[in-house]
């Protein structure tokens, strides 16, 4: 580990850090920085060290909240050791003198600072009712929905050693490929005859699925998005490739699509980027010309990239695009409501855009389903 002050002192560290980088030597570099209230004002010796260290460091962060510790220190050390390189943490002066548990900010994310969007309701209840948690190939970010650190025994099977223990302290970190690791662990398992815990949550899951089925009501007006997703699930090929946008679209798809047989499902899970469903579908149809590819997208996402529908037509790609046209940005609307923000720019005035006309003008097939018409195939 090496230490330096802000500005010139931190710059002087660079030569040695490049030595470490090129020699694959794990090093943690800790630097100072001007206090946060003066950053961006051209203050004396103000150098934005996170940019300066961007090329040399495998992990590079300005700490701006004391509660990020000890999590980011643990991640920095683990990254330096795992990738045999440099990790860099920079501490502004006011963070250096703050109490270790000081937390000046209101938290709005469904996460807590690591101590080293929720799924189904039974899954959430199961997390609260388990004594051992086995994480396989996941970097699940919503730590608010994980057990409290230390309350359960935790095992993690993860290919990237820097992610083992990232979200929750891990008693047994196993580094390796998920498929190979599970295959190797199977002979070590002891079959248990008491199935009551498993059967309890299998029963709860069946109840939850029936609740989801109840939302797929064809008589709702306007047409319920859950019904449309259910129709797609019913009629899609067993080996169909399904894609969707981010936002409420992803919620409905995750809850109502059954990924069975050889089906595949693609969405922007980590980045949650806008409008990925249509370009994903185009790419998948190029890669797998003999398989059915269906994109379920929102009107906001389709509006951003609707020219790519013309791309698909001209390339002769038989993709199917179903648009949930609610004339609003549904996910942002819900976020503004939940977080108490004033509603702004998330609902659009009528008339609703008719995207089917755009499809036809491109040379494709277009059809608009309204409450008195059914999206079910004829």
């Amino acid at each position: 580990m090496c230490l330096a002050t802000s500005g010139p002192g931190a710059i002087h560290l660079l030569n040695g850090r490049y030595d470490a980088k090129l020699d694959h030597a794990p090093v943690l570099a800790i630097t100072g920085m001007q206090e946060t209230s003066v950053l961006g004002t051209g203050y004396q010796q103000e150098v934005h060290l996170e940019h300066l260290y961007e090329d040399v460091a495998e992990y590079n962060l300005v700490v701006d909240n004391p509660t990020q510790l000890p999590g980011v220190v643990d991640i920095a050390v683990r990254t330096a050791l795992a990738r045999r390189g440099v990790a860099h943490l920079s501490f502004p002066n006011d963070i250096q003198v703050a109490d270790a548990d000081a937390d000046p900010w209101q938290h709005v994310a469904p996460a807590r600072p690591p101590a080293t969007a929720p799924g189904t309701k039974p899954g959430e209840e199961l997390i609260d009712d388990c004594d051992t948690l086995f994480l396989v190939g996941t970097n699940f970010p919503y730590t608010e929905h994980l057990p409290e650190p230390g309350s359960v025994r935790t095992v993690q099977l993860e290919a990237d050693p820097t992610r083992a223990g990232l979200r929750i302290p891990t008693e047994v970190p196993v580094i390796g490929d998920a498929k190979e690791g599970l295959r190797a662990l199977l002979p070590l398992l002891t079959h248990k005859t008491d199935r009551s815990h498993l059967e309890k949550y299998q029963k709860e899951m069946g109840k939850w699925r029936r609740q989801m089925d109840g939302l797929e009501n064809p008589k709702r007006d306007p047409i319920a998005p859950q019904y449309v997703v259910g129709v797609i699930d019913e009629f899609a090929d067993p080996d169909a490739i399904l894609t969707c946008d981010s936002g409420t679209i992803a919620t409905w798809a995750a809850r109502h699509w059954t990924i069975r047989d050889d089906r595949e499902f693609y969405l922007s899970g980590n980045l949650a980027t806008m409008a990925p469903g249509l370009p994903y579908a185009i790419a998948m149809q190029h890669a797998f010309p003999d398989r059915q590819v269906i994109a379920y997208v929102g009107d906001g996402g389709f509006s951003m990239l609707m020219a790519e529908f013309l791309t698909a037509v001209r390339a002769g790609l038989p993709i199917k695009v179903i648009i949930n046209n609610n004339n609003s940005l549904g996910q942002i609307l819900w976020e503004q409501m939940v977080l108490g923000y004033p509603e702004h720019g998330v609902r659009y005035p009528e008339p609703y855009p008719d995207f089917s006309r755009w499809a036809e003008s491109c040379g494709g097939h277009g059809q608009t389903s309204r409450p008195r018409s059914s999206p079910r195939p004829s």
Side-chain angles (χ1 to χ4, degrees), residues 19-259:
D19 257 349
K21 175 182 179 177
L22 297 177
D23 290 343
H24 302 286
V27 173
L28 174 61
I30 296 179
T31 64
M33 186 177 285
Q34 281 67 32
E35 68 177 67
T36 56
S37 64
V38 299
L39 291 178
T41 66
Y43 195 78
Q44 185 185 24
Q45 294 188 337
E46 179 182 344
V47 177
H48 289 266
L49 299 174
E50 73 277 19
H51 301 305
L52 188 67
Y53 277 68
E54 187 172 8
D55 177 63
V56 75
E58 297 287 340
Y59 185 84
N60 181 29
L61 181 72
V62 176
V63 177
D64 53 19
N65 189 328
T67 59
Q68 289 176 272
L69 306 172
V72 295
V73 173
D74 186 53
I75 296 168
V77 171
R78 188 186 303 119
T79 302
L81 292 171
R83 298 182 180 172
R84 308 293 298 179
V86 176
H88 169 238
L89 295 174
S90 187
F91 293 81
N93 288 341
D94 50 332
I95 301 298
Q96 294 178 33
V97 301
D99 293 336
D101 60 351
D103 187 2
W105 312 116
Q106 178 183 355
H107 294 280
V108 296
R112 55 178 176 258
T116 61
T120 65
K121 186 174 185 293
E124 188 171 359
E125 294 172 348
L126 175 59
I127 289 292
D128 295 331
D129 191 28
C130 71
D131 55 17
T132 303
L133 181 64
F134 187 19
L135 303 166
V136 181
T138 178
N139 194 30
F140 184 76
Y142 305 118
T143 51
E144 186 178 278
H145 301 279
L146 293 177
E148 287 292 330
S151 64
V152 300
R153 305 193 71 181
T154 305
V155 180
Q156 185 168 0
L157 174 57
E158 172 58 55
D160 185 349
T162 67
R163 299 202 320 189
L166 177 62
R167 304 302 182 186
I168 187 172
T170 304
E171 185 177 342
V172 183
V174 182
I175 308 305
D177 176 79
K179 186 176 182 179
E180 294 177 358
L182 290 174
R183 186 181 291 121
L185 289 172
L186 277 175
L188 306 178
L189 297 179
T190 301
H191 181 78
K192 294 185 177 181
T193 56
D194 182 2
R195 317 292 285 177
S196 58
H197 192 258
L198 172 64
E199 290 171 355
K200 172 185 175 181
Y201 285 99
Q202 286 177 330
K203 182 178 179 180
E204 289 299 316
M205 194 63 194
K207 185 190 302 182
W208 186 84
R209 289 193 184 281
R210 289 191 293 274
Q211 292 173 348
M212 294 300 102
D213 290 343
L215 297 175
E216 299 176 10
N217 185 344
K219 297 180 180 179
R220 290 171 65 183
D221 185 358
I223 295 173
Q226 295 93 334
Y227 172 61
V228 178
V229 178
V231 170
I232 297 171
D233 184 65
E234 180 182 355
F235 288 96
D237 290 346
D239 66 342
I241 299 175
L242 308 175
T243 73
C244 76
D245 278 349
S246 302
T248 50
I249 287 285
T251 301
W252 296 320
R255 289 180 173 180
H256 295 266
W257 279 349
T258 305
I259 308 307

Side-chain angles (χ1 to χ4, degrees), residues 302 306 323 325 351-360 366-370:
F302 187 76
M306 57 194 296
I323 303 170
N325 188 3
Y352 281 39
D354 189 346
F355 294 112
S356 66
R357 293 186 179 183
W358 167 248
E360 291 173 347
Q367 177 180 328
T368 298
S369 294
R370 294 184 172 84

Side-chain angles (χ1 to χ4, degrees), residues 1-25:
M1 186 179 74
C2 57
L3 299 168
T5 57
S6 63
I11 293 171
H12 279 300
L13 282 185
L14 274 178
N15 202 52
R17 291 328 95 221
Y18 272 100
D19 257 349
K21 175 182 179 177
L22 297 177
D23 290 343
H24 302 286

